[in-house]
Amino acid sequence: MRIGLVTEGGYPYVGGDAGLWCDRLVRGLGQHEFDLYALSRTRRQEDEGWLPLPPHVSRVRTAPLWTADEDGITYGRRARRRFAECYGEFVGVLCAGPAADGADGSNGVSGSNSAGGANAADGVVGSDGAGGPRAVPDSLTDRFGNALHGLAELARDEGGLAGALRSDTAVRALERACRTPGALGAAREVRVPDLLAVAAHLERALRPLSLDWYGDDGLGAADLCHATAGGPAALAGLLAGHFSGVPLLVTEYGVQLRAHYLAAGPDEAAPAVRALLAAFHGRLAAEVYRRAAIITPGNAHARRWQERCGADRARIRTVHPGMASARFTEVGEAPDRADPDTLVWVGRIEPAKDLVSLLHAFAEVRKEEPKARLRIVGAPAGPEGEAYLGHCRALAAQLFPDEAEGAHAVGDNPVCFDEIGGPEAPTLADAYASGAVVVLSSVVEGFPVGLVEAMFCGRATVSTDVGAVVEAIGGTGLVVPPRNPRALAEACVALLRDPERRERLGAAARARALELFTVEQNIAAFRSIYLEIVSHCPVRRVVLDEAGEPLPFAVPAEAHVPGRWTGPMPRVAHRAGPGWALGTALRPAPVRATPLTATEGAL
């Protein structure tokens, strides 16, 4: 079958998110044909080029999210009226307050008018009493989807939306929606700078509407659209479904809505801006989950977010990330290589990893086990990480003055900081092999990749209960509350004093990781899901023989194919659809695209 793989800021670019698992997925499903549709985030990402692509990737089309040139399109009177109606309805839904949410008899979704944190969206998601998001009433969801599709159809008919979304008409429509009686409390306090900030954000977020990817020469020719993230990538998949009926699969290893809430803190923008943007991202997530054929979260934590935002449980399939286990085999099969007195922490150094609590916990460990040592292996994540690393080094020097066995011996600190590739940790496997217990001290975590790597190495673990940690380790490690140095220390001491328990937990952890988190299981899961989706969707493309009869085996075998069983070379008849995006596939080097005329390069 032909798969349209839509990515944002990742594959096939060398530097990007989720590039590794996408590359493994594509290479592991060589029986299918892949077309890649890549949305880039920065010019630097585009300049770095692409990863080597396998031969069954037949085409790559790219478009930038980080810039959009003025399209130079002037709308006529009728087009301006259409835009005003669609955009007015669109922003009207975003600004709808609790009264509108409850208009159909439901409790609605009333978040905090201060727009702070995860309850900032007075629109799509808000507090349900347990602090989590919840789905909007169908009436508002339908209005949002209809307005979004109306804007997409206008972009198709007129050649783009960039100029219209930046126009005074858009800003005035947003202001009217904010001033409407019954609008969000935070939105009613909006100022002109806030209106401009929200309008600019919406213009960037809606850039996929102006692309020419959705006709029969693009995603419209795919048997399945696989969006590797929510947000803009999933929006492109929604439009492929709207224009051409292509079924949509959405994979989220990190929930975009959650990422938006974490990034939109009170110091980042005014309350009105946060409330309106939270409403937009929440409503877009709800629309994506409603329209997707199947949703594949990477863990139960992401799955709970999706369900709270309206995803149907019957259409959710949890697919854990696939990780290469071969490089950890030697360490995992030789657990006796570890230093029995050493604790190891491996990861990116940043405040969310809470190394300060780990250092304080280690101070407690040293009181019980004076021979214990702590190795912190990792590189700082950006300037903030550099500053945090400096703070942790200073704290370690303060808590653990250099110790010497005698008056003439050189002092030694029981805490050391290393990086992968250095003499003490030439490889990632060597870093895990150096200790008997691997520690995770994070206060925020999605899927704990480092923890699974330690499991592949057969190491006993002590972790904080955040993100998908419990789901990953099952009962093969110790779990303590986050920001609790005493509990962390007690768990570490318990394992340092009990080598037999460490060995049992390490062996169980390795067996669990090999069963659940390998590349092979990830590829097998998506192979099955692809077949499931196609088998439940009607055939949209009809391949004809010379006599004009449908030709068997010209579409995925999982779909019903009527017609004769023999015949000469076929010809293809596409279903009627938007033919406004035309282009011939060539083999040039990748060139950055502008909206509506997205660059196409066939491989």
Side-chain angles (χ1 to χ4, degrees):
M1 70 182 75
R2 172 176 287 184
I3 309 298
L5 190 68
V6 186
T7 67
E8 178 200 352
Y11 192 69
Y13 294 108
V14 171
D17 299 337
L20 188 58
W21 84 261
C22 287
D23 187 58
R24 289 170 176 167
L25 174 69
V26 171
R27 293 181 183 277
L29 296 176
Q31 70 271 36
H32 299 311
E33 180 182 359
F34 281 84
D35 294 339
L36 304 184
Y37 297 83
L39 298 166
S40 63
R41 289 179 181 161
T42 64
R43 179 183 293 277
R44 179 180 178 181
Q45 185 178 59
E46 294 187 355
D47 293 341
E48 289 176 348
W50 296 349
L51 294 168
L53 299 176
H56 57 284
V57 174
S58 61
R59 177 169 55 181
V60 176
R61 301 181 71 168
T62 66
L65 288 178
W66 50 274
T67 185
D69 297 331
E70 184 64 47
D71 51 26
I73 297 171
T74 302
Y75 285 180
R77 181 181 301 174
R78 181 173 298 177
R80 290 197 302 271
R81 186 183 305 115
R82 283 180 63 189
F83 175 77
E85 292 174 354
C86 292
Y87 193 77
E89 176 71 358
F90 179 78
V91 296
V93 173
L94 299 187
C95 296
D101 279 341
D104 64 347
S106 71
N107 291 330
V109 187
S110 57
S112 168
N113 284 344
S114 63
N119 297 334
D122 279 309
V124 159
V125 292
S127 174
D128 62 352
R134 64 178 178 233
V136 296
D138 290 341
S139 58
L140 287 178
T141 303
D142 290 338
R143 287 174 57 193
F144 179 84
N146 292 338
L148 192 66
H149 295 151
L151 291 172
E153 291 166 1
L154 178 62
R156 176 196 61 184
D157 297 340
E158 300 297 330
L161 282 176
L165 291 173
R166 297 171 180 172
S167 66
D168 292 341
T169 301
V171 178
R172 286 196 297 268
L174 179 60
E175 183 180 18
R176 283 195 299 272
C178 292
R179 308 298 187 201
T180 300
L184 299 175
R188 290 195 295 270
E189 300 172 1
V190 70
R191 301 171 301 169
V192 172
D194 302 333
L195 292 170
L196 296 177
V198 173
H201 183 96
L202 293 178
E203 186 275 323
R204 288 191 298 271
L206 296 178
R207 283 173 187 172
L209 272 63
S210 296
L211 298 176
D212 60 346
W213 287 359
Y214 314 114
D216 288 338
D217 65 332
L219 280 169
D223 299 300
L224 166 68
C225 177
H226 185 176
T228 60
L235 177 56
L238 280 179
L239 298 180
H242 175 69
F243 286 121
S244 301
V246 180
L248 173 62
L249 167 64
V250 178
T251 296
E252 285 190 307
Y253 285 130
V255 180
Q256 290 244 353
L257 182 60
R258 176 178 179 270
H260 169 76
Y261 286 154
L262 293 175
D267 297 332
E268 300 298 324
V273 175
R274 299 201 308 276
L276 292 172
L277 296 187
F280 166 73
H281 287 285
R283 298 212 187 272
L284 179 59
E287 181 69 10
V288 167
Y289 298 152
R290 186 169 71 126
R291 299 293 183 183
I294 286 181
I295 306 159
T296 53
N299 53 70
H301 184 249
R303 180 183 183 125
R304 287 193 294 271
W305 270 84
Q306 292 168 343
E307 290 179 355
R308 289 295 188 94
C309 293
D312 182 1
R313 290 187 179 184
R315 292 185 286 114
I316 299 178
R317 312 282 187 275
T318 300
V319 180
H320 296 111
M323 300 172 58
S325 61
R327 57 180 171 167
F328 304 111
T329 300
E330 182 179 354
V331 175
E333 294 178 350
D336 55 344
R337 289 179 50 185
D339 182 342
D341 298 318
T342 299
L343 304 173
V344 176
W345 180 95
V346 180
R348 293 180 305 169
I349 297 177
E350 56 187 348
K353 304 303 182 182
D354 199 14
L355 294 182
V356 170
S357 289
L358 176 60
L359 291 171
H360 283 289
F362 185 63
E364 298 296 322
V365 171
R366 291 277 292 180
K367 294 177 182 178
E368 302 293 331
E369 295 291 326
K371 293 183 179 180
R373 302 184 64 83
L374 172 64
R375 294 192 63 194
I376 295 175
V377 184
E384 186 180 23
E386 291 278 3
Y388 189 68
L389 175 59
H391 174 68
C392 292
R393 287 183 183 273
L395 179 61
Q398 179 183 355
L399 291 175
F400 311 101
D402 289 351
E403 302 172 353
E405 295 182 358
H408 302 288
V410 177
D412 181 29
N413 195 302
V415 178
C416 64
F417 293 83
D418 299 315
E419 289 192 25
I420 301 296
E424 299 297 328
T427 67
L428 191 58
D430 291 325
Y432 290 112
S434 63
V437 178
V438 175
V439 185
L440 182 144
S441 55
S442 302
V443 294
V444 176
E445 194 76 46
F447 185 81
V449 173
L451 195 60
V452 175
E453 291 171 343
M455 294 168 68
F456 280 130
C457 293
R459 292 299 183 261
T461 60
V462 176
S463 313
T464 49
D465 187 5
V466 293
V469 165
V470 173
E471 178 184 4
I473 67 170
T476 67
L478 304 186
V479 179
V480 300
R483 293 192 178 96
N484 191 330
R486 182 177 297 277
L488 191 63
E490 291 175 353
C492 290
V493 169
L495 291 182
L496 288 175
R497 289 177 173 176
D498 194 342
E500 293 184 358
R501 187 183 186 189
R502 291 201 308 266
E503 185 176 354
R504 290 196 306 270
L505 289 175
R510 176 168 168 77
R512 178 178 176 83
L514 290 174
E515 179 183 0
L516 297 179
F517 305 123
T518 62
V519 174
E520 292 76 17
Q521 68 81 24
N522 182 269
I523 292 173
F526 278 113
R527 180 187 292 115
S528 175
I529 288 170
Y530 284 180
L531 298 180
E532 178 184 355
I533 292 176
V534 173
S535 67
H536 288 85
C537 294
V539 177
R540 297 175 302 99
R541 291 179 295 128
V542 181
V543 182
L544 308 178
D545 61 17
E546 290 298 326
E549 296 293 330
L551 185 69
F553 306 111
V555 295
E558 294 72 28
H560 173 63
V561 183
R564 296 188 296 111
W565 289 81
T566 59
M569 294 297 291
R571 57 191 176 88
V572 178
H574 289 290
R575 61 170 286 177
W580 52 280
L582 302 176
T584 303
L586 303 173
R587 285 181 177 267
V591 180
R592 181 171 61 83
T594 56
L596 186 62
T597 310
T599 304
E600 179 178 346
L603 304 177

